[in-house]
Amino acid sequence: MNFIPETDSVPGAESSTESVAESMVVPAVHVATDDCIELRRLHRFFGKTKAVEDISFTVRRGHVFGYIGPNGAGKTTSMRILATLDLPSYGDAFVDGFSVVNDPEHVRRRLGFMPDSFGTYRDVNCTEYLDFFARAYGLVGRQRTERLAWVLNFTGTEGMAEKPIRGLSKGMKQRLCLGRALIHDPAVMILDEPAAGLDPRARIQLRKMIRELADRGKTVLISSHILTELAEMCDSVGIIEQGRLLATGSVEQIQHQRETHRELKIRILHNADGAGASLSAVDSVTNLIVDGELLKFEFAGDLEAQAGLVSHLVQQGFAVAEVESHKKSLEDVFLQVTEGLVQ
């Protein structure tokens, strides 16, 4: 099924058309940079509602950036602006060096957008669906054939290439939508809740595909409510609430910035009460509980200080059998940074 017929060019029309177009189009300004995504003091207001307020961050080429926030925080609005589906009230954003305000056409050629909900045609099969978008992006001949084959293979939908979309599962539809966003080989991928509604196996497979895209040099911005998966796949994250960016950086950096106490459990053989009395005299130890052989407490110190604390117990003659340190997860940091506010 062909959605857009290919037509032969009219002899002599090409040069005249190009000359008219060149006289009308303002040359795009391209800023070469290692940051493939950049938001510069981005604002978006809807009446009195500040959906996005003064957000700035960058994502380096080949990195995966996790965009985290409660519902209504401004994630989708930011992504729509990056995808040139909306304009900022103030500020600007850049995709592969091109402004979404001044050069939207150049941005669209370099960007693949996977929204949280997308339209499909029930009676169209996977190949026809992808072929339609390949033609829309101007792919022709051998180039289009090769991209179709690659996308079907990469997304694992080649076995269902001739199957109507109405017969696909939620996970396969998500794969097909990812393929649609990849069909023109963009440098940047914007993925809005791509794992929503997927079963555990489908989420794992999607995570592997996203990581492989980054390894191939593509820059990925992804939003998700499944924070454990973002922590595993992302090079850096940003936490947004009520339209404002609260924290940004690698997961480890944000954990370090926000971590004031770590929970420690130390198992002491033979004289746990004596070890507990020794620890209670340490200023950085709080909320100490002695439970049989187990000492449970909060410790205000880094890993080096923790090692010194354990060494101190050993030097005093206490038999330290086990040490368990609970480091704050991305979910812990998210709960600590945000307040659960909505607009």
Side-chain angles (χ1 to χ4, degrees), residues 103-251:
D103 307 309
E105 290 299 325
H106 288 81
V107 169
R108 290 166 193 153
R109 291 185 178 277
R110 288 161 171 78
L111 181 139
F113 180 49
M114 181 177 174
D116 56 349
S117 60
F118 55 95
T120 56
Y121 308 102
R122 288 173 49 82
D123 297 322
V124 173
N125 66 38
C126 294
T127 298
E128 293 167 340
Y129 181 77
L130 293 174
D131 185 65
F132 170 77
F133 287 98
R135 290 168 181 263
Y137 277 108
L139 302 183
V140 296
R142 182 177 178 180
Q143 182 189 26
R144 188 176 80 239
T145 302
E146 290 177 348
R147 283 304 297 174
L148 281 171
W150 185 88
V151 166
L152 287 168
N153 176 263
F154 179 79
T155 58
T157 53
E158 56 187 348
M160 301 183 178
E162 305 304 319
K163 187 173 184 178
I165 292 177
R166 67 174 181 273
L168 299 182
S169 65
K170 169 72 173 179
M172 296 309 295
K173 286 182 179 179
Q174 291 291 83
R175 287 169 177 255
L176 185 63
C177 186
L178 179 63
R180 183 188 74 179
L182 280 170
I183 195 66
H184 58 300
D185 195 21
V188 176
M189 300 291 295
I190 306 293
L191 311 179
D192 192 2
E193 297 288 346
L198 299 186
D199 61 68
R201 180 177 294 276
R203 289 204 305 269
I204 292 172
Q205 293 170 341
L206 179 64
R207 186 170 70 236
K208 289 181 178 178
M209 284 191 285
I210 292 171
R211 195 63 253 179
E212 184 176 343
L213 288 174
D215 293 340
R216 290 173 177 265
K218 297 192 184 300
T219 305
V220 182
L221 189 150
I222 177 174
S223 70
S224 177
H225 290 138
I226 308 171
L227 302 189
T228 53
E229 292 190 347
L230 285 184
E232 293 177 9
M233 83 170 81
C234 293
D235 300 291
S236 56
V237 298
I239 300 177
I240 181 176
E241 186 174 40
Q242 286 196 311
R244 297 187 66 87
L245 196 65
L246 304 181
T248 185
S250 69
V251 175

Side-chain angles (χ1 to χ4, degrees), residues 42-343:
L42 201 66
H43 296 72
R44 183 64 173 104
F45 304 148
F46 296 98
K48 295 182 179 180
T49 300
K50 298 178 180 179
V52 175
E53 186 177 4
D54 200 15
I55 287 184
S56 299
F57 65 80
T58 60
V59 186
R60 294 183 66 82
R61 193 175 305 276
H63 282 206
V64 179
F65 184 90
Y67 211 21
I68 307 168
N71 292 327
K75 301 187 302 297
T76 297
T77 299
S78 306
M79 291 180 157
R80 284 177 56 82
I81 291 174
L82 279 170
T84 72
L85 298 176
D86 195 6
L87 284 171
S89 302
Y90 305 101
D92 203 348
F94 295 82
V95 172
D96 201 19
F98 288 97
S99 164
V100 300
V101 175
N102 299 321
D103 307 309
E105 290 299 325
H106 288 81
V107 169
R108 290 166 193 153
R109 291 185 178 277
R110 288 161 171 78
L111 181 139
F113 180 49
M114 181 177 174
D116 56 349
S117 60
F118 55 95
T120 56
Y121 308 102
R122 288 173 49 82
D123 297 322
V124 173
N125 66 38
C126 294
T127 298
E128 293 167 340
Y129 181 77
L130 293 174
D131 185 65
F132 170 77
F133 287 98
R135 290 168 181 263
Y137 277 108
L139 302 183
V140 296
R142 182 177 178 180
Q143 182 189 26
R144 188 176 80 239
T145 302
E146 290 177 348
R147 283 304 297 174
L148 281 171
W150 185 88
V151 166
L152 287 168
N153 176 263
F154 179 79
T155 58
T157 53
E158 56 187 348
M160 301 183 178
E162 305 304 319
K163 187 173 184 178
I165 292 177
R166 67 174 181 273
L168 299 182
S169 65
K170 169 72 173 179
M172 296 309 295
K173 286 182 179 179
Q174 291 291 83
R175 287 169 177 255
L176 185 63
C177 186
L178 179 63
R180 183 188 74 179
L182 280 170
I183 195 66
H184 58 300
D185 195 21
V188 176
M189 300 291 295
I190 306 293
L191 311 179
D192 192 2
E193 297 288 346
L198 299 186
D199 61 68
R201 180 177 294 276
R203 289 204 305 269
I204 292 172
Q205 293 170 341
L206 179 64
R207 186 170 70 236
K208 289 181 178 178
M209 284 191 285
I210 292 171
R211 195 63 253 179
E212 184 176 343
L213 288 174
D215 293 340
R216 290 173 177 265
K218 297 192 184 300
T219 305
V220 182
L221 189 150
I222 177 174
S223 70
S224 177
H225 290 138
I226 308 171
L227 302 189
T228 53
E229 292 190 347
L230 285 184
E232 293 177 9
M233 83 170 81
C234 293
D235 300 291
S236 56
V237 298
I239 300 177
I240 181 176
E241 186 174 40
Q242 286 196 311
R244 297 187 66 87
L245 196 65
L246 304 181
T248 185
S250 69
V251 175
E252 292 75 15
Q253 288 172 338
I254 295 179
Q255 287 171 333
H256 180 71
Q257 293 168 2
R258 299 287 172 170
E259 188 169 26
T260 55
H261 294 79
R262 63 177 64 231
E263 297 176 0
L264 280 180
K265 296 179 183 179
I266 300 179
R267 187 174 299 279
I268 303 292
L269 302 181
H270 311 309
N271 188 10
D273 289 330
S278 177
L279 288 180
S280 62
V282 179
D283 292 338
S284 54
V285 172
T286 57
N287 300 325
L288 177 66
I289 298 175
V290 180
D291 182 10
E293 296 181 339
L294 200 61
L295 305 180
K296 304 176 184 178
F297 57 93
E298 292 185 3
F299 181 61
D302 56 17
L303 288 175
E304 187 173 345
Q306 175 183 315
L309 185 71
V310 175
S311 177
H312 175 68
L313 289 174
V314 173
Q315 289 173 3
Q316 288 186 314
F318 297 107
V320 178
E322 295 178 4
V323 178
E324 179 182 341
S325 175
H326 173 66
K327 184 180 180 181
K328 284 187 173 68
S329 66
L330 184 57
E331 289 181 342
D332 296 329
V333 175
F334 175 77
L335 292 174
Q336 183 180 355
V337 171
T338 61
E339 300 179 19
L341 302 175
V342 295
Q343 303 194 74

